[in-house]
Amino acid sequence: MPSPLISVVIPAYDQRKQLADCLDSLLAQSFDDVEVLVVADRSPECPAQLVERYAARHPRVSVLRLDAAVGVGVSRNAGAAHARGEYLLFLDADHLLARDALRSFADRLGRTGPVDLLLFGHTRRHGGRDWPGGAEALLAGAGSEVFAPLDRPELLGAPALIWDRLIARAHWLQQGLTFPDGRYEEIPPVHRAMLTARRIAVLPRACVQLRRRETVHPTGSPGSSSFDIFEQYERTFALLDVLDAPTAVREALFTRMIRHYLFVFDLAGCVTRAERPRFFHRAADHHRRFQPPGHRRPTGREGVKFSLLAGGAYPAFEVAKLSHIAAGTLTGATRRR
């Protein structure tokens, strides 16, 4: 049996009962040179009967069953190990694939020839609206030609998401890419895949829709926590040392790292009140350790947050946040009058 062009790997964690819609969006695609691997572990969030029904009705869907509750990362690793496609696409239950997205991938690859990575855009669906995914300007500025990562280091400043790119399975295997334990497990393989790629192309189109307000981590491995994010970025910066990465790459990844820490720190439900001082000081330690020479902080309020983090000024950071919230509440009250 010939290998399909694309293997789609989906861990069957269905916390919000959205997996059926995700699978329907895949099966409605006009392009059918694809296999869909649904990885079902023993987690209570895994709807075993649902995935079995889809596999029974649709020849392109197969189910890989795991004997324990292992989390998203291990499930993705298992799916990638069983995939046969030339390219890997990792999705979650709360993703929808845009109409004819697979055809767009195939057409773009037909123009570029084989690449290690094909990057594309995404949107977030919340409150009845589609919100941009955050990397549109970077993708639009990449141009139509195939490039190497050092040609476009600014792309390393985009969020480290595994589901807004195709990865050549040969590249995945050659680099020994895997998802580590813990939350935010996308960070190391996404960055290693980018940094070791020889040929990267961009499809400047939103091809995946995320049906969450924010990119909250779906399900980590047993025992995982929000503090796992620090170890994941340590893996990335250790790789930069091995590769002797230039300053432009370090700058892009440093800014991305600090933005990610501040995002997680402020996102409801990620860091408890009791954990906030410890999380802040871990982030401040990474700021000191990994800041590249000549780093220029962002402007505006974001720059103030960078500066307070750099100084380890946790009380001042919290006061500044409360002051901003109060100012926003006052402004909103004034506007309602």
Side-chain angles (χ1 to χ4, degrees):
M1 180 182 298
S3 299
L5 181 66
I6 300 171
S7 292
V8 184
V9 177
I10 308 176
Y13 290 94
D14 198 17
Q15 295 166 318
R16 297 173 177 84
K17 311 302 179 187
Q18 296 172 309
L19 180 58
D21 291 339
C22 175
L23 292 170
D24 288 343
S25 76
L26 274 164
L27 296 168
Q29 300 284 311
S30 63
F31 182 80
D32 61 3
D33 190 14
V34 59
E35 66 171 354
V36 180
L37 295 168
V38 183
V39 185
D41 76 353
R42 296 290 186 177
S43 167
E45 287 85 15
C46 176
Q49 293 182 344
L50 173 69
V51 299
E52 294 292 350
R53 286 200 303 271
Y54 270 86
R57 295 174 184 172
H58 303 281
R60 285 181 280 162
V61 178
S62 61
V63 181
L64 177 60
R65 301 167 189 82
L66 305 181
D67 291 333
V70 295
V72 168
V74 174
S75 294
R76 287 173 176 157
N77 289 338
H82 283 76
R84 298 182 300 110
E86 295 179 41
Y87 292 89
L88 300 173
L89 172 63
F90 295 95
L91 296 179
D92 293 322
D94 52 8
H95 293 142
L96 289 178
L97 207 57
R99 182 177 180 181
D100 280 345
L102 296 181
R103 173 63 64 186
S104 296
F105 298 156
D107 290 345
R108 182 72 176 116
L109 293 170
R111 294 191 297 271
T112 64
V115 296
D116 296 317
L117 294 170
L118 177 64
L119 312 179
F120 51 83
H122 73 274
T123 60
R124 287 186 292 110
R125 185 74 175 174
H126 173 66
R129 289 182 56 189
D130 287 345
W131 302 82
E136 292 77 16
L138 292 174
L139 295 178
S144 60
E145 299 299 320
V146 174
F147 56 91
L150 296 186
D151 298 330
R152 299 284 183 183
E154 67 275 10
L155 286 171
L156 290 159
L161 305 173
I162 198 64
W163 39 266
D164 63 358
R165 62 202 66 211
L166 292 186
I167 303 179
R169 188 162 63 92
H171 185 53
W172 183 271
L173 295 173
Q174 183 182 37
Q175 293 300 322
L177 297 174
T178 60
F179 296 93
D181 288 338
R183 297 188 188 180
Y184 311 104
E185 76 291 330
E186 295 169 292
I187 294 166
V190 164
H191 289 156
R192 179 177 285 274
M194 284 283 289
L195 290 165
T196 58
R198 293 158 298 178
R199 289 172 53 83
I200 302 174
V202 164
L203 176 64
R205 173 192 169 187
C207 295
V208 172
Q209 182 185 84
L210 172 70
R211 292 172 294 162
R212 275 181 265 155
R213 179 174 182 177
E214 303 286 2
T215 52
V216 180
H217 194 276
T219 303
S221 56
S224 63
S225 79
S226 294
F227 284 81
D228 297 338
I229 194 171
F230 300 110
E231 184 176 351
Q232 310 297 19
Y233 273 104
E234 285 179 1
R235 290 184 168 103
T236 286
F237 278 84
L239 177 62
L240 294 185
D241 291 337
V242 171
L243 298 176
D244 194 22
T247 299
V249 168
R250 293 177 180 273
E251 176 71 21
L253 282 169
F254 175 80
T255 301
R256 165 45 44 197
M257 177 183 73
I258 299 302
R259 282 176 171 158
H260 201 170
Y261 290 168
L262 293 172
F263 172 82
V264 171
F265 188 71
D266 284 341
L267 189 59
C270 282
V271 183
T272 67
R273 181 181 296 273
E275 294 171 333
R276 287 177 69 82
R278 184 162 64 97
F279 190 98
F280 182 90
H281 289 300
R282 287 284 301 275
D285 175 63
H286 275 199
H287 194 295
R288 289 191 297 271
R289 286 172 54 192
F290 300 128
Q291 180 179 356
H295 169 66
R296 298 180 63 181
R297 293 174 187 146
T299 59
R301 181 170 176 264
E302 185 183 36
V304 172
K305 295 169 77 173
F306 269 59
S307 180
L308 292 171
L309 184 64
Y314 174 70
F317 187 96
E318 293 288 40
V319 168
K321 179 183 176 182
L322 291 173
S323 298
H324 176 77
I325 293 173
T329 303
L330 180 61
T331 301
T334 302
R335 288 174 178 171
R336 286 193 296 269
R337 290 176 182 170

